[in-house]
Amino acid sequence: MLNPASASLLREDEPSPFEVTGRDGRSPFVVTCDHAGRLLPRSLGSLGLSATELASHIAWDIGAGGVARRLASLLDAFVACQRYSRLVIDCNRPCGAGDSIVTRSERSLIPGNQNVGSDDAESRALEIFHPYHDQIRGELDRRREAGRPSILVAVHSFTPVFMDVARPWHVGVLYNRDTRLAEPLLRLLQAEGDLVVGCNEPYAVSDLTVFSVVHHGEQRGIPHVQLDIRQDLIAADAGHIDRAKRLARLLLAAVQNV
């Protein structure tokens, strides 16, 4: 790992990699959003991409941060949102994974990521990935030391169409081996009657492809779930409020059986 004194990705006046609120929250819920923001460090310029590309899903999870913040407020929960674009480094992938720093996303080539050396990759991890996850880890440690329970909810979003293939799901419930929270929540979402609910769709969780719920949830042995919401439902503030209210109600019901 690079010596912090030599790290130079972020300038002193640039935002920190994370935004956290709700440290005094009384509920067991810890809400995370790995792809909440689309900031780029000034040192990386635009990564060779257009403003349109940098506003699209390849750069961030549109609407996910808004839902995560609203959900945490309704649940009186801690929330951590990551501010920098997934194109700098993906905070929901293990460091060193092939898609941790992508050279292509969907149909877009990422010029600024074509020749990222090991030192540059380590700098991105040191200054963005690790500080963000250290905040989540620290909160979970603090709760454990205080004898408080924790329930992890990771919020993401997905595009209505991917590589010309339409995605019918309104929300996806994602999990790996631990289904304590995912299964009851899946049943409750399906019982709503007006939702197409994906079970590990449009993505699935594995040790090699997802970091947050595996590392902070499964490996700690705490109940957890990753929620992926279709972006056209949460592109505006009204969608954030509507989806957060429904998810808060259903999460509170689901944990009664955990």
Side-chain angles (χ1 to χ4, degrees):
M1 184 171 289
L2 293 179
N3 185 320
S6 67
S8 59
L9 179 69
L10 296 177
R11 306 296 186 244
E12 288 185 1
D13 63 337
E14 290 187 278
S16 72
F18 52 84
E19 165 200 335
V20 299
T21 57
R23 291 186 186 276
D24 297 325
R26 293 169 294 176
S27 83
F29 290 100
V30 171
V31 180
T32 64
C33 190
D34 302 328
H35 305 139
R38 58 189 180 97
L39 293 177
L40 295 177
R42 288 200 302 274
S43 61
L44 298 183
S46 67
L47 290 174
L49 297 169
S50 69
T52 299
E53 288 171 310
L54 291 173
S56 74
H57 178 77
I58 69 169
W60 64 323
D61 276 2
I62 295 168
V67 173
R69 295 180 189 97
R70 295 274 186 179
L71 181 61
S73 178
L74 290 167
L75 294 173
D76 192 20
F78 173 91
V79 58
C81 292
Q82 204 283 118
R83 289 171 165 154
Y84 284 86
S85 172
R86 72 166 110 240
L87 297 175
V88 181
I89 187 167
D90 194 324
C91 285
N92 197 32
R93 297 292 184 273
C95 286
D99 54 355
S100 170
I101 299 174
V102 294
T103 56
R104 177 182 292 274
S105 183
E106 298 181 26
R107 291 190 171 96
S108 295
L109 191 72
I110 317 300
N113 285 350
Q114 295 305 304
N115 298 294
V116 178
S118 59
D119 285 351
D120 288 338
E122 187 61 29
S123 181
R124 297 187 191 194
L126 177 69
E127 297 189 55
I128 293 177
F129 182 95
H130 292 303
Y132 167 67
H133 285 292
D134 285 347
Q135 289 295 308
I136 301 168
R137 192 177 299 112
E139 175 65 17
L140 293 170
D141 286 347
R142 184 177 70 85
R143 288 165 174 256
R144 181 180 58 198
E145 290 163 7
R148 293 182 57 189
S150 293
I151 298 170
L152 180 68
V153 179
V155 179
H156 292 259
S157 70
F158 64 92
T159 55
V161 178
F162 179 74
M163 302 297 280
D164 300 324
V165 177
R167 291 162 151 177
W169 309 282
H170 297 110
V171 61
V173 177
L174 279 58
Y175 57 90
N176 195 17
R177 289 168 285 260
D178 185 338
T179 64
R180 285 175 292 170
L181 179 55
E183 284 190 350
L185 183 59
L186 184 64
R187 290 194 297 269
L188 288 166
L189 282 162
Q190 291 168 336
E192 292 286 280
D194 63 339
L195 297 175
V196 179
V197 185
C199 178
N200 273 329
E201 295 284 2
Y203 306 107
V205 175
S206 77
D207 296 339
L208 299 179
T209 60
V210 169
F211 182 81
S212 289
V213 294
V214 171
H215 178 78
H216 296 300
E218 191 167 79
Q219 291 179 9
R220 266 183 192 266
I222 64 173
H224 58 273
V225 69
Q226 179 172 316
L227 296 172
D228 276 64
I229 308 165
R230 208 173 67 200
Q231 286 176 0
D232 56 315
L233 304 175
I234 55 172
D237 195 55
H240 304 165
I241 296 169
D242 176 67
R243 297 294 146 169
K245 284 182 176 178
R246 186 183 295 210
L247 287 171
R249 170 172 57 84
L250 298 177
L251 281 163
L252 288 170
V255 299
Q256 300 304 310
N257 300 315
V258 173

